[in-house]
Amino acid sequence: MNEQQAIDRAEEIIGEAVDGMSPRPTLERMGNAPVGACIARDDHGADDRVQVTLIYKLTGVPGAQAQNLVRQARDAWLKKGHKYNTSGEVDWAGAFPTVYMRTEADDFWMDAVTGVVDRAKGEGVASLKVTSPCFLPPGKGSAAAADPAAFETADADSPAARRALGHSSRIYDVLGVGAAPTRPGEGLRRVRDESGDAVHHAWSTVPLAEEEQVRAVERAQAYFQGAGWRVRPMPTAGGAPGVVAGRPDERTVAQVAVSDTGAVLVAVTTPLDGPQSADV
């Protein structure tokens, strides 16, 4: 796959969701650069890869139709044979009801999300996002460190490392903002405390405006809740928003919080002796 093929396929998946919608929305493209650094998943490809992400806001329809548009996108994707990427029912009463799905044949990931604009009137806004698998750009044929999901230790092939990187990748998709270059202390490493050995993966986004920070953390919280994680707020010392979530079946813990620089910090910790399956 090359860049244009990835963009064309992403546009096709967006079209699948929108073509039968009623009322028919107008697509407003968000962002100018669809190609970015690969957030390494659990497929062990070269880490100088890139991937395409397309985000469209659905405009031109009454705000009260936002949730209906998300439901219609879900139904259209299901008819095409695409699969859910989370278990459990969508919390349609939440602030940001979101449907997470993927294409089974070529592994594109997509979500349809609605956010509340006026809760009293039941009005919101809907958007669609599609992210391609990672692929090598022209002239690239060897691995290099990727941000934020860089393979930094000899444990990168272990089930625990694949779990941590997989969860980080899902969180990256949910936040919907760019990743910053890896800083000291970030990346993938093995840690030890009183509970035993674990794999820890940390990365951060680019600095965001205050409103974007809040929305990013809210999207992360909605994702965790929809995916069956146990969630609680984790405000920082400075009062900035944050959330911590746990998966009891894996004993995995994820933290998403805003730093004093305006970046959103993400950390995933999972025990070395957790489930052997890398599926997340």
Side-chain angles (χ1 to χ4, degrees), residues 229-247:
W229 295 61
R230 294 180 179 175
V231 186
R232 64 177 174 83
M234 186 189 68
T236 63
V243 64
V244 60
R247 281 187 54 152

Side-chain angles (χ1 to χ4, degrees), residues 44-185:
H44 306 298
D47 288 288
D48 51 4
R49 298 167 296 166
V50 295
Q51 62 187 155
V52 163
T53 300
L54 293 183
I55 306 175
Y56 282 98
K57 185 162 64 174
L58 307 184
T59 65
V61 299
Q65 290 290 327
Q67 282 200 19
N68 184 36
L69 296 181
V70 170
R71 292 176 189 266
Q72 291 184 61
R74 174 200 61 186
D75 293 345
W77 282 333
L78 286 173
K79 286 181 180 179
K80 289 291 184 179
H82 306 324
K83 305 297 183 182
Y84 282 112
N85 188 41
T86 55
S87 59
E89 292 296 319
V90 176
D91 180 12
W92 296 104
F96 293 95
T98 305
V99 176
Y100 299 97
M101 302 187 71
R102 67 181 179 87
T103 65
E104 206 165 34
D106 48 9
D107 201 33
F108 278 67
W109 293 68
M110 60 274 203
D111 62 63
V113 59
T114 177
V116 174
V117 173
D118 190 325
R119 185 177 294 277
K121 296 180 180 179
E123 295 188 348
V125 61
S127 65
L128 303 175
K129 181 172 74 171
V130 175
T131 302
S132 77
C134 301
F135 57 93
L136 285 169
K140 293 287 187 178
S142 60
D147 298 324
F151 293 153
E152 293 187 357
T153 75
D155 293 323
D157 266 345
S158 71
R162 294 198 297 271
R163 281 198 308 277
L165 291 170
H167 286 308
S168 277
S169 183
R170 302 296 86 75
I171 296 168
Y172 172 80
D173 287 343
V174 169
L175 295 183
V177 296
T182 302
R183 304 184 306 174

Side-chain angles (χ1 to χ4, degrees), residues 202-220:
W203 58 276
S204 56
T205 72
V206 295
L208 305 174
E210 185 173 348
E211 184 177 358
E212 293 177 302
Q213 298 167 9
V214 173
R215 289 179 177 174
V217 173
E218 287 177 338
R219 287 195 293 272

Side-chain angles (χ1 to χ4, degrees), residues 163 167 229 247-252 270-271 273-275 277 279-280:
R163 281 198 308 277
H167 286 308
W229 295 61
R247 281 187 54 152
D249 58 327
E250 294 178 359
R251 292 180 290 131
T252 296
T270 191
D273 61 351
S277 171
D279 294 337
V280 294

